[in-house]
Amino acid sequence: MGKVAFVFSGQGAQYTGMGKSLWETSPAARAVFEAADSQRPGTSRQCFTAPVEELSVTKNTQPCVYCVDLAAARALEEAGVKPDFAAGFSLGEVAALSFAGIFPGEEGFGFVCKRAEAMQKAAEENPGAMAAVLKLKNEQVEAICQEFEKVWPVNYNCPGQLVVAGEKGQIEAFCKKVAEAGGRAVPLAVSGGFHSPFMESAGEELRTVLAGMELREPRVPVYANLNARPYTQAGAKELLVQQVKNPVRWQETIEALAAQGVDTFLECGPGKTLCGLIRKTVKGAKVFQVEDGETLSAAVEAVKAAE
């Protein structure tokens, strides 16, 4: 067996009831939710019972998905599965950093709440949209983006899948251009143009938040969305500022982890979006989702059997 990476789910994977089984199954997972409720009362309730409409509001989505992400990772660790590396998709990067100890104590949850508020505010000030482009090479998508003043490539997900963000009307025209080029553009149900220049104000708000925080050296290497390289204590604050307004280089991140000998990826958090992206990026990778008691048991059993 090669090395193991924990990868943490991002915004968009939320669903009603997420995390409840982990809370019931694992004391370590339950502690994550209890700590969140002490800072932001009602977080567990939102995860377990809130309708999707409530969960999909950014200021709710990010704290809730963060909790499920971190709870899954803590449950794995409690069961004896420890990663050699970690990474997270967008919001998931904050959970990865908390797991790795860059944020001391429960400060990661406080930060993610501030991040959610800042990004929602920026999205309201700069209404945007996002679309996933399939069946075209990255270079083709980038070239079409350049035909528009306010459309940018933002999520390099896997071979053959690149997400763009921008002004709503321009995104609609962009999607038509993609179809003309032989590709397929799928509008995403999101509340803003994330990881684009529309998030400039959010990044600056986070700079102020981070100025008052003391971050630590990670106990597990965490690969950054911004450059697909490991975080350091010295560079962490600037990476977190830049991350919200720059592209997520997920394909590069997974390729970098594979180059380090990672052949087993465990997606911590709701859904299995990252599992699918990783399978398309690294042939033969062993990929497991961990979002409830059942998937937790299956992943632990599979990893220990391979040791």
Side-chain angles (χ1 to χ4, degrees):
M1 178 177 167
K3 295 178 180 177
V4 174
F6 285 6
V7 292
F8 293 75
S9 307
Q11 192 167 340
Q14 63 274 4
Y15 60 85
T16 301
M18 63 179 183
K20 191 170 191 299
S21 177
L22 288 170
W23 184 88
E24 294 168 343
T25 302
S26 162
R30 189 177 310 126
V32 171
F33 290 106
E34 290 173 348
D37 284 336
S38 70
Q39 287 190 61
R40 182 181 180 272
T43 299
S44 294
R45 179 201 62 78
Q46 282 187 325
C47 291
F48 304 161
T49 65
V52 172
E53 293 76 17
E54 181 179 340
L55 281 173
S56 296
V57 176
T58 296
K59 67 179 182 180
N60 298 329
T61 311
Q62 293 196 18
C64 289
V65 172
Y66 168 98
C67 284
V68 182
D69 284 7
L70 188 57
R74 296 282 188 223
L76 280 167
E77 190 173 45
E78 179 183 50
V81 178
K82 297 182 179 181
D84 300 290
F85 300 94
F89 192 100
S90 186
L91 158 68
E93 186 160 282
V94 184
L97 292 169
S98 291
F99 177 80
I102 285 184
F103 288 105
E106 305 303 328
E107 287 191 22
F109 184 73
F111 175 78
V112 89
C113 291
K114 295 289 187 182
R115 183 182 187 271
E117 291 167 5
M119 291 178 73
Q120 180 164 326
K121 181 181 175 184
E124 290 168 353
E125 292 171 350
N126 300 287
M130 299 176 75
V133 181
L134 311 174
K135 299 182 179 180
L136 293 181
K137 293 181 179 179
N138 289 346
E139 295 79 9
Q140 292 175 282
V141 181
E142 290 164 346
I144 298 173
C145 285
Q146 289 175 1
E147 298 181 31
F148 297 87
E149 182 184 359
K150 293 184 177 180
V151 177
W152 305 276
V154 295
N155 295 345
Y156 291 78
N157 288 347
C158 68
Q161 186 180 133
L162 174 54
V163 173
V164 304
E167 190 272 326
K168 287 185 177 181
Q170 292 194 18
I171 288 288
E172 291 173 6
F174 168 88
C175 290
K176 292 178 182 177
K177 286 273 189 179
V178 167
E180 291 170 8
R184 180 180 169 221
V186 181
L188 302 182
V190 294
S191 58
F194 301 124
H195 296 286
S196 78
F198 281 175
M199 292 291 115
E200 180 70 34
S201 61
E204 292 312 305
E205 278 197 44
L206 294 181
R207 188 185 299 280
T208 302
V209 171
L210 288 160
M213 300 178 72
E214 186 173 338
L215 304 186
R216 297 176 177 174
E217 198 68 34
R219 64 187 178 96
V220 177
V222 179
Y223 276 62
N225 288 176
L226 188 72
N227 56 21
R229 295 199 294 268
Y231 265 79
T232 62
Q233 182 180 21
K237 290 184 179 182
E238 189 60 28
L239 282 174
L240 283 164
V241 169
Q242 296 297 330
Q243 191 240 31
V244 298
K245 56 184 181 179
N246 283 284
V248 173
R249 300 193 175 277
W250 189 249
Q251 180 182 335
E252 286 180 48
T253 298
I254 296 306
E255 290 170 344
L257 290 169
Q260 291 294 324
V262 174
D263 68 356
T264 302
F265 297 84
L266 293 97
E267 179 173 2
C268 301
K272 51 186 178 182
T273 298
L274 301 185
C275 290
L277 300 181
I278 291 166
R279 288 191 181 101
K280 292 175 182 176
T281 303
V282 181
K283 290 183 179 179
K286 295 183 281 290
V287 184
F288 305 93
Q289 66 179 121
V290 180
E291 63 177 338
D292 53 28
E294 184 179 348
T295 52
L296 170 66
S297 297
V300 170
E301 184 178 339
V303 171
K304 290 192 172 180
E307 290 178 345

